[in-house]
mmCIF file of all heavy atoms in Angstrom:
data_model
loop_
_atom_site.group_PDB
_atom_site.id
_atom_site.type_symbol
_atom_site.label_atom_id
_atom_site.label_comp_id
_atom_site.label_asym_id
_atom_site.label_seq_id
_atom_site.Cartn_x
_atom_site.Cartn_y
_atom_site.Cartn_z
ATOM 1 N N SER A 18 -21.195 39.632 -100.577
ATOM 2 C CA SER A 18 -21.967 40.156 -99.497
ATOM 3 C C SER A 18 -23.359 39.489 -99.404
ATOM 4 O O SER A 18 -23.908 38.903 -100.371
ATOM 5 C CB SER A 18 -22.220 41.652 -99.607
ATOM 6 O OG SER A 18 -23.124 41.995 -100.554
ATOM 7 N N ARG A 19 -23.892 39.599 -98.232
ATOM 8 C CA ARG A 19 -25.344 39.017 -98.077
ATOM 9 C C ARG A 19 -26.276 39.670 -98.944
ATOM 10 O O ARG A 19 -27.119 39.125 -99.551
ATOM 11 C CB ARG A 19 -25.749 39.107 -96.500
ATOM 12 C CG ARG A 19 -25.021 38.120 -95.651
ATOM 13 C CD ARG A 19 -25.275 38.378 -94.191
ATOM 14 N NE ARG A 19 -24.495 37.352 -93.480
ATOM 15 C CZ ARG A 19 -25.157 36.362 -92.722
ATOM 16 N NH1 ARG A 19 -26.354 36.295 -92.679
ATOM 17 N NH2 ARG A 19 -24.370 35.501 -92.097
ATOM 18 N N ASP A 20 -26.007 41.075 -99.112
ATOM 19 C CA ASP A 20 -26.987 41.778 -99.967
ATOM 20 C C ASP A 20 -26.840 41.348 -101.346
ATOM 21 O O ASP A 20 -27.831 41.257 -102.157
ATOM 22 C CB ASP A 20 -26.810 43.248 -99.762
ATOM 23 C CG ASP A 20 -27.677 44.105 -100.708
ATOM 24 O OD1 ASP A 20 -28.959 44.100 -100.270
ATOM 25 O OD2 ASP A 20 -27.282 44.841 -101.569
ATOM 26 N N ASP A 21 -25.686 40.988 -101.875
ATOM 27 C CA ASP A 21 -25.502 40.400 -103.249
ATOM 28 C C ASP A 21 -26.469 39.234 -103.481
ATOM 29 O O ASP A 21 -27.082 39.177 -104.525
ATOM 30 C CB ASP A 21 -24.015 39.969 -103.392
ATOM 31 C CG ASP A 21 -23.130 41.060 -103.539
ATOM 32 O OD1 ASP A 21 -23.527 42.152 -103.998
ATOM 33 O OD2 ASP A 21 -21.894 40.926 -103.269
ATOM 34 N N LEU A 22 -26.608 38.364 -102.445
ATOM 35 C CA LEU A 22 -27.435 37.225 -102.535
ATOM 36 C C LEU A 22 -28.953 37.494 -102.391
ATOM 37 O O LEU A 22 -29.756 37.122 -103.243
ATOM 38 C CB LEU A 22 -27.005 36.091 -101.576
ATOM 39 C CG LEU A 22 -25.949 35.168 -102.099
ATOM 40 C CD1 LEU A 22 -24.629 35.911 -102.368
ATOM 41 C CD2 LEU A 22 -25.622 34.045 -101.179
ATOM 42 N N TRP A 23 -29.268 38.184 -101.358
ATOM 43 C CA TRP A 23 -30.629 38.486 -100.990
ATOM 44 C C TRP A 23 -31.261 39.423 -102.177
ATOM 45 O O TRP A 23 -32.474 39.257 -102.418
ATOM 46 C CB TRP A 23 -30.835 39.183 -99.721
ATOM 47 C CG TRP A 23 -30.683 38.215 -98.592
ATOM 48 C CD1 TRP A 23 -29.794 38.275 -97.565
ATOM 49 C CD2 TRP A 23 -31.591 37.082 -98.201
ATOM 50 N NE1 TRP A 23 -30.031 37.340 -96.618
ATOM 51 C CE2 TRP A 23 -31.123 36.524 -97.039
ATOM 52 C CE3 TRP A 23 -32.692 36.503 -98.950
ATOM 53 C CZ2 TRP A 23 -31.788 35.468 -96.465
ATOM 54 C CZ3 TRP A 23 -33.320 35.441 -98.356
ATOM 55 C CH2 TRP A 23 -32.829 34.922 -97.177
ATOM 56 N N SER A 24 -30.453 40.305 -102.735
ATOM 57 C CA SER A 24 -30.997 41.148 -103.714
ATOM 58 C C SER A 24 -31.067 40.527 -105.121
ATOM 59 O O SER A 24 -31.512 41.066 -106.148
ATOM 60 C CB SER A 24 -30.141 42.386 -103.857
ATOM 61 O OG SER A 24 -28.793 42.119 -104.410
ATOM 62 N N HIS A 25 -30.497 39.297 -105.301
ATOM 63 C CA HIS A 25 -30.376 38.484 -106.537
ATOM 64 C C HIS A 25 -29.557 39.351 -107.558
ATOM 65 O O HIS A 25 -29.910 39.277 -108.778
ATOM 66 C CB HIS A 25 -31.795 38.217 -107.042
ATOM 67 C CG HIS A 25 -32.570 37.354 -106.102
ATOM 68 N ND1 HIS A 25 -33.955 37.406 -106.004
ATOM 69 C CD2 HIS A 25 -32.147 36.454 -105.120
ATOM 70 C CE1 HIS A 25 -34.363 36.538 -105.101
ATOM 71 N NE2 HIS A 25 -33.327 36.075 -104.538
ATOM 72 N N ARG A 26 -28.600 40.073 -107.118
ATOM 73 C CA ARG A 26 -27.788 40.883 -107.952
ATOM 74 C C ARG A 26 -27.127 40.207 -109.113
ATOM 75 O O ARG A 26 -27.212 40.746 -110.262
ATOM 76 C CB ARG A 26 -26.780 41.574 -107.088
ATOM 77 C CG ARG A 26 -25.777 42.523 -107.841
ATOM 78 C CD ARG A 26 -24.687 43.054 -107.037
ATOM 79 N NE ARG A 26 -23.739 43.869 -107.721
ATOM 80 C CZ ARG A 26 -22.689 44.448 -107.152
ATOM 81 N NH1 ARG A 26 -22.420 44.203 -106.012
ATOM 82 N NH2 ARG A 26 -21.888 45.176 -107.914
ATOM 83 N N TYR A 27 -26.745 38.923 -108.911
ATOM 84 C CA TYR A 27 -26.095 38.177 -109.896
ATOM 85 C C TYR A 27 -26.949 36.997 -110.433
ATOM 86 O O TYR A 27 -26.466 36.238 -111.190
ATOM 87 C CB TYR A 27 -24.847 37.669 -109.486
ATOM 88 C CG TYR A 27 -23.867 38.758 -109.025
ATOM 89 C CD1 TYR A 27 -23.495 38.948 -107.723
ATOM 90 C CD2 TYR A 27 -23.273 39.667 -109.922
ATOM 91 C CE1 TYR A 27 -22.571 39.885 -107.341
ATOM 92 C CE2 TYR A 27 -22.360 40.576 -109.589
ATOM 93 C CZ TYR A 27 -22.086 40.687 -108.224
ATOM 94 O OH TYR A 27 -21.213 41.819 -107.902
ATOM 95 N N LEU A 28 -28.221 36.948 -110.170
ATOM 96 C CA LEU A 28 -29.098 35.806 -110.476
ATOM 97 C C LEU A 28 -29.385 35.882 -111.962
ATOM 98 O O LEU A 28 -29.838 36.905 -112.597
ATOM 99 C CB LEU A 28 -30.456 35.890 -109.717
ATOM 100 C CG LEU A 28 -31.463 34.823 -109.989
ATOM 101 C CD1 LEU A 28 -30.875 33.478 -109.759
ATOM 102 C CD2 LEU A 28 -32.737 35.107 -109.306
ATOM 103 N N LEU A 29 -29.126 34.739 -112.670
ATOM 104 C CA LEU A 29 -29.282 34.618 -114.114
ATOM 105 C C LEU A 29 -30.734 34.250 -114.383
ATOM 106 O O LEU A 29 -31.343 33.413 -113.658
ATOM 107 C CB LEU A 29 -28.330 33.511 -114.585
ATOM 108 C CG LEU A 29 -26.849 33.916 -114.416
ATOM 109 C CD1 LEU A 29 -25.969 32.536 -114.622
ATOM 110 C CD2 LEU A 29 -26.406 34.974 -115.353
ATOM 111 N N PRO A 30 -31.304 34.688 -115.501
ATOM 112 C CA PRO A 30 -32.697 34.335 -115.950
ATOM 113 C C PRO A 30 -32.857 32.869 -115.960
ATOM 114 O O PRO A 30 -33.932 32.322 -115.554
ATOM 115 C CB PRO A 30 -32.840 35.005 -117.210
ATOM 116 C CG PRO A 30 -31.953 36.200 -117.245
ATOM 117 C CD PRO A 30 -30.665 35.738 -116.422
ATOM 118 N N GLY A 31 -31.862 32.205 -116.509
ATOM 119 C CA GLY A 31 -31.949 30.680 -116.750
ATOM 120 C C GLY A 31 -32.060 29.963 -115.386
ATOM 121 O O GLY A 31 -32.812 29.068 -115.209
ATOM 122 N N VAL A 32 -31.313 30.493 -114.450
ATOM 123 C CA VAL A 32 -31.374 29.903 -113.092
ATOM 124 C C VAL A 32 -32.700 30.185 -112.450
ATOM 125 O O VAL A 32 -33.348 29.242 -111.851
ATOM 126 C CB VAL A 32 -30.196 30.333 -112.212
ATOM 127 C CG1 VAL A 32 -30.399 29.859 -110.744
ATOM 128 C CG2 VAL A 32 -28.888 29.912 -112.849
ATOM 129 N N ARG A 33 -33.155 31.379 -112.474
ATOM 130 C CA ARG A 33 -34.500 31.713 -111.919
ATOM 131 C C ARG A 33 -35.538 30.930 -112.546
ATOM 132 O O ARG A 33 -36.469 30.372 -111.848
ATOM 133 C CB ARG A 33 -34.713 33.218 -112.186
ATOM 134 C CG ARG A 33 -36.058 33.634 -111.433
ATOM 135 C CD ARG A 33 -36.476 35.028 -112.037
ATOM 136 N NE ARG A 33 -35.574 36.086 -111.552
ATOM 137 C CZ ARG A 33 -35.684 36.725 -110.428
ATOM 138 N NH1 ARG A 33 -36.638 36.393 -109.594
ATOM 139 N NH2 ARG A 33 -34.772 37.724 -110.036
ATOM 140 N N PHE A 34 -35.515 30.730 -113.916
ATOM 141 C CA PHE A 34 -36.522 29.977 -114.537
ATOM 142 C C PHE A 34 -36.548 28.517 -114.060
ATOM 143 O O PHE A 34 -37.644 27.932 -113.809
ATOM 144 C CB PHE A 34 -36.268 30.061 -116.087
ATOM 145 C CG PHE A 34 -37.342 29.382 -116.934
ATOM 146 C CD1 PHE A 34 -38.509 30.096 -117.246
ATOM 147 C CD2 PHE A 34 -37.243 28.079 -117.309
ATOM 148 C CE1 PHE A 34 -39.524 29.385 -117.967
ATOM 149 C CE2 PHE A 34 -38.211 27.367 -118.024
ATOM 150 C CZ PHE A 34 -39.365 28.113 -118.396
ATOM 151 N N ALA A 35 -35.395 27.927 -113.956
ATOM 152 C CA ALA A 35 -35.284 26.501 -113.526
ATOM 153 C C ALA A 35 -35.761 26.309 -112.088
ATOM 154 O O ALA A 35 -36.619 25.382 -111.857
ATOM 155 C CB ALA A 35 -33.815 26.070 -113.628
ATOM 156 N N VAL A 36 -35.345 27.138 -111.185
ATOM 157 C CA VAL A 36 -35.797 27.033 -109.799
ATOM 158 C C VAL A 36 -37.334 27.303 -109.614
ATOM 159 O O VAL A 36 -38.028 26.534 -109.003
ATOM 160 C CB VAL A 36 -35.071 27.948 -108.922
ATOM 161 C CG1 VAL A 36 -35.504 27.959 -107.536
ATOM 162 C CG2 VAL A 36 -33.531 27.532 -108.959
ATOM 163 N N ASP A 37 -37.776 28.338 -110.332
ATOM 164 C CA ASP A 37 -39.200 28.602 -110.219
ATOM 165 C C ASP A 37 -40.071 27.423 -110.805
ATOM 166 O O ASP A 37 -41.167 27.059 -110.287
ATOM 167 C CB ASP A 37 -39.608 29.890 -111.047
ATOM 168 C CG ASP A 37 -39.085 31.093 -110.257
ATOM 169 O OD1 ASP A 37 -38.607 31.023 -109.153
ATOM 170 O OD2 ASP A 37 -39.157 32.272 -110.892
ATOM 171 N N ALA A 38 -39.551 26.765 -111.824
ATOM 172 C CA ALA A 38 -40.244 25.609 -112.485
ATOM 173 C C ALA A 38 -40.282 24.478 -111.471
ATOM 174 O O ALA A 38 -41.298 23.770 -111.331
ATOM 175 C CB ALA A 38 -39.493 25.120 -113.739
ATOM 176 N N TYR A 39 -39.236 24.358 -110.690
ATOM 177 C CA TYR A 39 -39.152 23.167 -109.639
ATOM 178 C C TYR A 39 -40.272 23.572 -108.496
ATOM 179 O O TYR A 39 -40.942 22.708 -108.143
ATOM 180 C CB TYR A 39 -37.791 23.136 -109.059
ATOM 181 C CG TYR A 39 -37.686 21.982 -108.001
ATOM 182 C CD1 TYR A 39 -38.247 20.783 -108.160
ATOM 183 C CD2 TYR A 39 -36.814 22.253 -106.867
ATOM 184 C CE1 TYR A 39 -38.141 19.831 -107.225
ATOM 185 C CE2 TYR A 39 -36.662 21.198 -105.899
ATOM 186 C CZ TYR A 39 -37.395 20.052 -106.085
ATOM 187 O OH TYR A 39 -37.222 19.067 -105.092
ATOM 188 N N VAL A 40 -40.236 24.705 -108.072
ATOM 189 C CA VAL A 40 -41.296 25.096 -107.054
ATOM 190 C C VAL A 40 -42.691 24.965 -107.582
ATOM 191 O O VAL A 40 -43.517 24.367 -106.878
ATOM 192 C CB VAL A 40 -41.090 26.545 -106.557
ATOM 193 C CG1 VAL A 40 -42.146 26.957 -105.622
ATOM 194 C CG2 VAL A 40 -39.633 26.673 -105.828
ATOM 195 N N ASN A 41 -42.898 25.332 -108.770
ATOM 196 C CA ASN A 41 -44.243 25.270 -109.348
ATOM 197 C C ASN A 41 -44.642 23.711 -109.513
ATOM 198 O O ASN A 41 -45.785 23.274 -109.318
ATOM 199 C CB ASN A 41 -44.312 25.923 -110.679
ATOM 200 C CG ASN A 41 -45.610 25.922 -111.326
ATOM 201 O OD1 ASN A 41 -46.670 26.384 -110.705
ATOM 202 N ND2 ASN A 41 -45.821 25.313 -112.516
ATOM 203 N N PHE A 42 -43.697 22.944 -109.884
ATOM 204 C CA PHE A 42 -43.874 21.415 -110.068
ATOM 205 C C PHE A 42 -44.338 20.905 -108.742
ATOM 206 O O PHE A 42 -45.301 20.164 -108.652
ATOM 207 C CB PHE A 42 -42.565 20.757 -110.479
ATOM 208 C CG PHE A 42 -42.671 19.338 -110.705
ATOM 209 C CD1 PHE A 42 -42.930 18.730 -111.877
ATOM 210 C CD2 PHE A 42 -42.404 18.492 -109.647
ATOM 211 C CE1 PHE A 42 -43.125 17.395 -112.078
ATOM 212 C CE2 PHE A 42 -42.552 17.054 -109.679
ATOM 213 C CZ PHE A 42 -42.801 16.547 -111.062
ATOM 214 N N CYS A 43 -43.639 21.306 -107.574
ATOM 215 C CA CYS A 43 -44.012 20.715 -106.295
ATOM 216 C C CYS A 43 -45.330 21.296 -105.782
ATOM 217 O O CYS A 43 -46.020 20.592 -104.950
ATOM 218 C CB CYS A 43 -42.881 21.056 -105.273
ATOM 219 S SG CYS A 43 -41.298 20.150 -105.632
ATOM 220 N N ARG A 44 -45.774 22.440 -106.251
ATOM 221 C CA ARG A 44 -47.112 22.996 -105.930
ATOM 222 C C ARG A 44 -48.207 22.299 -106.597
ATOM 223 O O ARG A 44 -49.358 22.154 -106.082
ATOM 224 C CB ARG A 44 -47.101 24.529 -106.198
ATOM 225 C CG ARG A 44 -46.403 25.403 -105.253
ATOM 226 C CD ARG A 44 -46.399 26.774 -105.596
ATOM 227 N NE ARG A 44 -45.805 27.750 -104.572
ATOM 228 C CZ ARG A 44 -45.125 28.797 -104.861
ATOM 229 N NH1 ARG A 44 -45.012 29.174 -106.106
ATOM 230 N NH2 ARG A 44 -44.764 29.580 -103.868
ATOM 231 N N THR A 45 -47.960 21.862 -107.842
ATOM 232 C CA THR A 45 -48.958 21.364 -108.693
ATOM 233 C C THR A 45 -49.099 19.962 -108.845
ATOM 234 O O THR A 45 -50.159 19.341 -109.304
ATOM 235 C CB THR A 45 -48.892 21.997 -110.098
ATOM 236 O OG1 THR A 45 -47.687 21.703 -110.645
ATOM 237 C CG2 THR A 45 -49.079 23.516 -109.920
ATOM 238 N N GLN A 46 -48.135 19.151 -108.554
ATOM 239 C CA GLN A 46 -48.105 17.667 -108.727
ATOM 240 C C GLN A 46 -48.496 17.055 -107.447
ATOM 241 O O GLN A 46 -48.441 17.584 -106.321
ATOM 242 C CB GLN A 46 -46.642 17.222 -109.067
ATOM 243 C CG GLN A 46 -46.152 17.684 -110.431
ATOM 244 C CD GLN A 46 -47.016 17.078 -111.518
ATOM 245 O OE1 GLN A 46 -47.243 15.850 -111.554
ATOM 246 N NE2 GLN A 46 -47.459 17.870 -112.455
ATOM 247 N N PRO A 47 -49.030 15.830 -107.560
ATOM 248 C CA PRO A 47 -49.364 15.117 -106.325
ATOM 249 C C PRO A 47 -48.175 14.900 -105.433
ATOM 250 O O PRO A 47 -47.083 14.807 -105.860
ATOM 251 C CB PRO A 47 -49.848 13.718 -106.878
ATOM 252 C CG PRO A 47 -50.300 13.953 -108.246
ATOM 253 C CD PRO A 47 -49.395 15.048 -108.727
ATOM 254 N N TRP A 48 -48.501 14.969 -104.074
ATOM 255 C CA TRP A 48 -47.247 15.058 -103.200
ATOM 256 C C TRP A 48 -46.277 13.874 -103.298
ATOM 257 O O TRP A 48 -45.018 14.084 -103.171
ATOM 258 C CB TRP A 48 -47.805 15.186 -101.770
ATOM 259 C CG TRP A 48 -48.629 14.021 -101.195
ATOM 260 C CD1 TRP A 48 -49.885 13.865 -101.235
ATOM 261 C CD2 TRP A 48 -48.071 12.829 -100.690
ATOM 262 N NE1 TRP A 48 -50.238 12.708 -100.635
ATOM 263 C CE2 TRP A 48 -49.098 12.027 -100.317
ATOM 264 C CE3 TRP A 48 -46.729 12.411 -100.283
ATOM 265 C CZ2 TRP A 48 -48.911 10.859 -99.667
ATOM 266 C CZ3 TRP A 48 -46.603 11.178 -99.590
ATOM 267 C CH2 TRP A 48 -47.636 10.364 -99.313
ATOM 268 N N PRO A 49 -46.718 12.653 -103.568
ATOM 269 C CA PRO A 49 -45.732 11.576 -103.729
ATOM 270 C C PRO A 49 -44.751 11.899 -104.914
ATOM 271 O O PRO A 49 -43.605 11.427 -104.874
ATOM 272 C CB PRO A 49 -46.504 10.356 -103.949
ATOM 273 C CG PRO A 49 -47.916 10.660 -103.420
ATOM 274 C CD PRO A 49 -48.099 12.125 -103.748
ATOM 275 N N ILE A 50 -45.308 12.458 -105.998
ATOM 276 C CA ILE A 50 -44.576 12.718 -107.172
ATOM 277 C C ILE A 50 -43.545 13.860 -106.847
ATOM 278 O O ILE A 50 -42.279 13.865 -107.244
ATOM 279 C CB ILE A 50 -45.428 13.149 -108.369
ATOM 280 C CG1 ILE A 50 -46.468 11.916 -108.650
ATOM 281 C CG2 ILE A 50 -44.520 13.299 -109.622
ATOM 282 C CD1 ILE A 50 -45.752 10.586 -108.779
ATOM 283 N N ALA A 51 -43.891 14.917 -106.073
ATOM 284 C CA ALA A 51 -43.076 16.004 -105.697
ATOM 285 C C ALA A 51 -41.986 15.414 -104.854
ATOM 286 O O ALA A 51 -40.841 15.908 -104.882
ATOM 287 C CB ALA A 51 -43.866 17.018 -105.056
ATOM 288 N N ILE A 52 -42.299 14.510 -103.874
ATOM 289 C CA ILE A 52 -41.231 13.883 -103.098
ATOM 290 C C ILE A 52 -40.255 13.191 -103.953
ATOM 291 O O ILE A 52 -39.063 13.197 -103.658
ATOM 292 C CB ILE A 52 -41.863 13.021 -102.006
ATOM 293 C CG1 ILE A 52 -42.507 13.930 -100.889
ATOM 294 C CG2 ILE A 52 -40.865 12.079 -101.464
ATOM 295 C CD1 ILE A 52 -43.211 13.148 -99.853
ATOM 296 N N ALA A 53 -40.754 12.444 -104.943
ATOM 297 C CA ALA A 53 -39.890 11.622 -105.844
ATOM 298 C C ALA A 53 -38.927 12.504 -106.440
ATOM 299 O O ALA A 53 -37.705 12.156 -106.706
ATOM 300 C CB ALA A 53 -40.673 10.925 -106.791
ATOM 301 N N ALA A 54 -39.303 13.829 -106.852
ATOM 302 C CA ALA A 54 -38.431 14.769 -107.529
ATOM 303 C C ALA A 54 -37.271 15.179 -106.659
ATOM 304 O O ALA A 54 -36.209 15.582 -107.136
ATOM 305 C CB ALA A 54 -39.199 15.949 -107.954
ATOM 306 N N SER A 55 -37.443 15.093 -105.350
ATOM 307 C CA SER A 55 -36.389 15.366 -104.375
ATOM 308 C C SER A 55 -35.282 14.315 -104.247
ATOM 309 O O SER A 55 -34.249 14.543 -103.581
ATOM 310 C CB SER A 55 -36.957 15.645 -102.928
ATOM 311 O OG SER A 55 -37.284 14.413 -102.322
ATOM 312 N N LEU A 56 -35.529 13.175 -104.963
ATOM 313 C CA LEU A 56 -34.544 12.085 -104.731
ATOM 314 C C LEU A 56 -33.154 12.237 -105.345
ATOM 315 O O LEU A 56 -32.346 11.261 -105.372
ATOM 316 C CB LEU A 56 -35.213 10.779 -105.217
ATOM 317 C CG LEU A 56 -36.300 10.251 -104.263
ATOM 318 C CD1 LEU A 56 -36.913 9.037 -104.789
ATOM 319 C CD2 LEU A 56 -35.815 10.000 -102.842
#
């Protein structure tokens, strides 16, 4: 269900940690380096 996804019912800690690390990387690194990570 959509609620399963939006509520993060099945979200694993390791997945949350990895994704949050990526967002934090893009917030804190110079923009050309953040763009390079998207490659």
Side-chain angles (χ1 to χ4, degrees):
S18 72
R19 289 172 178 246
D20 185 63
D21 287 332
L22 271 64
W23 283 119
S24 68
H25 303 152
R26 179 181 179 187
Y27 300 113
L28 179 60
L29 299 166
V32 173
R33 184 192 292 274
F34 184 85
V36 174
D37 289 353
Y39 181 39
V40 174
N41 186 61
F42 182 90
C43 292
R44 282 180 175 145
T45 57
Q46 292 296 309
W48 65 266
I50 304 306
I52 284 179
S55 77
L56 288 180

